[in-house]
Amino acid sequence: MQRREIWIAIVWALALAGCAAASFFLLDRQTLEPVYWLSQMPPVYTAVEYLTTFGKAGFPILAFSALWLWGFLRRSGGLKQSAMLGIAAQVATGAIVWALKLSITRERPYVPYHLKGEIATGYYQSFPSGDAGAIFALAFAASHAFPRARPALMAFAAAVAAMRVFRLAHYPSDVFAGAAAAAAGWAVTLATFNWLDERKREPSSDR
């Protein structure tokens, strides 16, 4: 693992965290009504319903499992390693997201499908967006396997994460924070694998 990739991930995390902070003051409350109006338009509504499914944690896990199998069939150590990195990044990102969710209680924008009868389900777990974290963790890790596809992967992740705002499930700052958590999770994953790789390369000392 190159240390440069770790620092790039850290820069991403800091930049996205800055966007989350700016969004908290400039976008969150101001965009609710326009976004709700736009989300009711048939083309947008269809896109929201379709893209939202890719933000669930099961999709990245399935994608990286398929990548590992592909690498196994092709006998490609690089593809298998990228798949392992991707799954590890999902775990690290999920840990960061849930640590923040349980520490920072923030109400979600009103959405009927978060209510079951009269009991709110996850209503005070808006910050950060877990779906945004999952899809951006996928984008960071998949970019490691397919560097030339990085712009397309990041654009796809941004589109999927934005759907959480259009569904009024999250504020924009929640989505930026979820993406920042993904970048931090990716940095932790790279640093851990880099440390393990260096330990393997160290000559064993005789006692």
Side-chain angles (χ1 to χ4, degrees):
M1 301 298 165
Q2 295 184 1
R3 295 181 183 274
R4 180 172 176 271
E5 293 184 58
I6 300 174
W7 284 109
I8 290 174
I10 293 173
V11 170
W12 268 99
L14 293 174
L16 289 166
C19 290
S23 176
F24 180 82
F25 294 103
L26 302 176
L27 293 177
D28 283 6
R29 303 291 177 178
Q30 295 86 339
T31 57
L32 280 181
E33 289 188 10
V35 164
Y36 179 76
W37 174 80
L38 185 60
S39 67
Q40 301 309 301
M41 300 176 64
V44 178
Y45 184 83
T46 302
V48 169
E49 291 296 311
Y50 180 74
L51 289 173
T52 296
T53 59
F54 292 102
K56 305 306 176 185
F59 172 72
I61 297 297
L62 181 62
F64 285 118
S65 298
L67 180 63
W68 188 92
L69 180 60
W70 185 29
F72 175 77
L73 294 175
R74 294 189 58 184
R75 298 182 180 180
S76 171
L79 289 177
K80 289 194 293 184
Q81 184 185 56
S82 294
M84 293 175 61
L85 283 170
I87 294 175
Q90 289 293 322
V91 174
T93 299
I96 294 171
V97 165
W98 278 100
L100 291 172
K101 278 183 180 291
L102 297 175
S103 302
I104 304 172
T105 55
R106 186 187 192 190
E107 81 287 352
R108 296 176 185 267
Y110 176 73
V111 278
Y113 59 83
H114 278 296
L115 303 177
K116 292 183 178 179
E118 296 180 355
I119 302 175
T121 303
Y123 187 74
Y124 291 101
Q125 295 176 347
S126 184
F127 183 90
S129 169
D131 286 27
I135 196 62
F136 268 98
L138 167 67
F140 281 116
S143 296
H144 179 269
F146 309 103
R148 294 182 180 180
R150 187 186 304 271
L153 289 166
M154 289 299 177
F156 176 70
V160 173
M163 297 304 101
R164 306 304 291 157
V165 178
F166 280 100
R167 261 202 158 179
L168 298 185
H170 289 284
Y171 296 99
S173 61
D174 299 334
V175 171
F176 280 118
W186 179 234
V188 169
T189 300
L190 286 176
T192 302
F193 272 71
N194 188 62
W195 177 76
L196 291 174
D197 188 57
E198 289 180 350
R199 286 290 301 272
K200 290 180 180 179
R201 294 173 182 272
E202 289 179 359
S204 57
S205 56
D206 296 327
R207 293 185 178 180

